[in-house]
Amino acid sequence: MAPYESDRTAGAEGLPDEADDVRAGRRKAARYVVPVAVVGVAAATIGLVPALADSGDPSLPKITAEQLIEKIAKSDVQQLSGTVKVSTDLGLPSLGGLESGMLSGVTKGSGGSSADPQSKLMELASGTHTVRVAADGPDKAKVSVLENAAEYSIIHNGNDVWAYDSKSNEVYHSTAPAAEKGQEKAPKDVPTTPKQLADEALKSVDDTTSVTVDGTAQVAGRDAYKLLIKPKQSGSTVGAITVAVDAKTGVPLKFTLVPTSGGAAVVDAGFTQVAFAKPAASTFDFTPPKGAKVTEGKGSKGSKDLKGSKDSKAPESAPSRGDLGKGLDGLKTVGKGWSTIAEFDTGGQGMPSGSSSQGGNVSGFLNSLGDHVKGKFGSGTVFSTRLVNALITDDGKVYAGAVTKDALVKAANAAH
């Protein structure tokens, strides 16, 4: 991590990493279902979206932005447990459950398991969720998403990564360390803890960002400093990110992202309870329940080596998580810093025309969700959330990023 100079400006490329996440967030941007592309980028942006709700203003020693960043980087906490509340308000239209379906559909291929983390965790990009977390060193971790009477858990214990969806009674199993070529690592596609969010937001620095210390707060009963990250560029939809950092341990406790449009935070993710003690060893134990369908991920040993019950079974063909960006043609980025735009080709024919006998009904539905624009590129439609916007041109080109509609149109014009 590049050094900061006291409380002066520093940078975080942050959002440029969306280009990689866009690549990882789509198998094929379907030429008609453009909102899926928008949601995919938005979900990927979770890595940069945190939230902070103050519950106090403790008196703490003065600290500079550089010192606070170093405190986060040097934090050596290996053991903790707690509850994290994640609320996401992307401003998507209410489509009677279609929104969450699109989120999971972005990454779930045909024949996939409902327990596959790569698709399941995308659902955190919508609504409010309660997540329980526990860790005991680098090789033991558990994340559980609680949904009414159901629970979805990912357990990393040694070389094994288990994911269990109690609602469907499905299990996904893979290997964690990449000790051998082809083995999978524990899923990290969608950050689920404040620490992971902070790591993404502060991955690198440049001159496009202002970073300062913005007072103190009390989070989950602990004193914390507030690190304020603000884009210096115009055209970004990101207003500010605030990271609450535990004053004693340096562990990020809460985060906030406020859009330039104002209003509630786009995403609020932070501990409501936290303890820095060794979790019980049994926390990380897992055996597939009786009758559960077990899907083997790439690099796993196979169902015959599982410790589950005799009723546990592997599917006839276990799908590989694979490269979800194979359908993209020439993905590249335009601009830098917070104004970075991902540009790629869907390989399709753009949006369906309202005059098309095959696309009329689809066109009418999508027209209600997007704004029509014209330029040197011809015409297209902009689909918007409170954070991420995407322009789909009639020839199937996509321009997406945490930038304004005008910025997308300008980028599309420059490309033609």
Side-chain angles (χ1 to χ4, degrees), residues 6 106-107 123 130 137 145-146 172 202 242 351 380 382:
S6 187
V106 167
T107 55
E123 296 177 11
T130 298
V145 182
L146 310 181
Y172 183 89
L202 299 170
T242 305
M351 295 299 298
V382 175

Side-chain angles (χ1 to χ4, degrees), residues 399-410:
Y399 302 86
V403 297
T404 63
K405 178 174 70 175
D406 290 343
L408 293 177
V409 172
K410 182 179 180 180

Side-chain angles (χ1 to χ4, degrees), residues 116-204:
D116 188 339
Q118 203 166 22
S119 61
K120 193 68 177 180
L121 291 182
M122 293 290 280
E123 296 177 11
L124 292 179
S126 175
T128 298
H129 305 269
T130 298
V131 181
R132 289 178 182 168
V133 300
D136 185 6
D139 296 325
K140 291 185 177 182
K142 182 175 182 179
V143 176
S144 297
V145 182
L146 310 181
E147 298 288 348
N148 297 322
E151 179 176 325
Y152 175 77
S153 296
I154 301 176
I155 304 98
H156 175 197
N157 193 343
N159 291 338
D160 292 307
V161 173
W162 296 95
Y164 177 59
D165 184 355
S166 68
K167 185 176 181 179
S168 64
N169 198 28
E170 291 192 23
V171 175
Y172 183 89
H173 173 251
S174 64
T175 52
E180 299 178 11
K181 186 176 180 180
Q183 286 186 323
E184 289 185 272
K185 295 182 179 181
K188 297 180 180 179
D189 299 313
V190 180
T192 55
T193 67
K195 177 64 166 65
Q196 291 172 330
L197 296 172
D199 288 344
E200 290 295 322
L202 299 170
K203 189 171 289 184
S204 55

Side-chain angles (χ1 to χ4, degrees), residues 3-55:
Y4 287 75
E5 296 184 15
S6 187
D7 276 28
R8 293 190 294 173
T9 59
E13 292 181 9
L15 291 175
D17 290 337
E18 287 181 9
D20 291 335
D21 287 335
V22 170
R23 182 183 296 110
R26 291 171 184 68
R27 182 177 299 276
K28 287 185 180 179
R31 63 184 182 184
Y32 291 162
V33 190
V34 177
V36 173
V38 180
V39 173
V41 181
T45 320
I46 278 189
L48 298 174
V49 293
L52 174 69
D54 295 345
S55 58

Side-chain angles (χ1 to χ4, degrees), residues 217-366:
Q218 192 170 74
V219 179
R222 299 185 65 88
D223 293 345
Y225 291 101
K226 296 191 297 184
L227 186 69
L228 181 64
I229 304 170
K230 298 182 67 175
K232 295 168 62 178
Q233 299 170 299
S234 60
S236 174
T237 56
V238 177
I241 291 175
T242 305
V243 182
V245 183
D246 186 65
K248 184 175 181 180
T249 66
V251 173
L253 299 175
K254 253 192 176 184
F255 301 84
T256 226
L257 184 146
V258 177
T260 53
S261 59
V266 171
V267 174
D268 181 276
F271 283 101
T272 57
Q273 295 179 335
V274 65
F276 299 100
K278 182 181 178 67
S282 59
T283 302
F284 311 103
D285 293 337
F286 180 79
T287 299
K290 183 177 180 179
K293 174 184 175 182
V294 180
T295 297
E296 285 297 323
K298 180 181 177 182
S300 298
K301 296 180 180 179
S303 60
K304 65 181 180 180
D305 295 326
L306 296 178
K307 296 185 291 182
S309 67
K310 295 181 180 179
D311 293 316
S312 297
K313 57 182 179 179
E316 294 180 3
S317 60
S320 167
R321 292 171 67 181
D323 180 5
L324 298 179
K326 289 181 179 178
L328 302 183
D329 179 18
L331 185 144
K332 62 180 180 180
T333 59
V334 179
K336 63 175 292 188
W338 301 89
S339 297
T340 298
I341 296 172
E343 176 186 340
F344 58 94
D345 192 336
T346 67
Q349 300 176 3
M351 295 299 298
S353 169
S355 61
S356 169
S357 60
Q358 295 181 340
N361 291 336
V362 176
S363 176
F365 170 70
L366 294 179

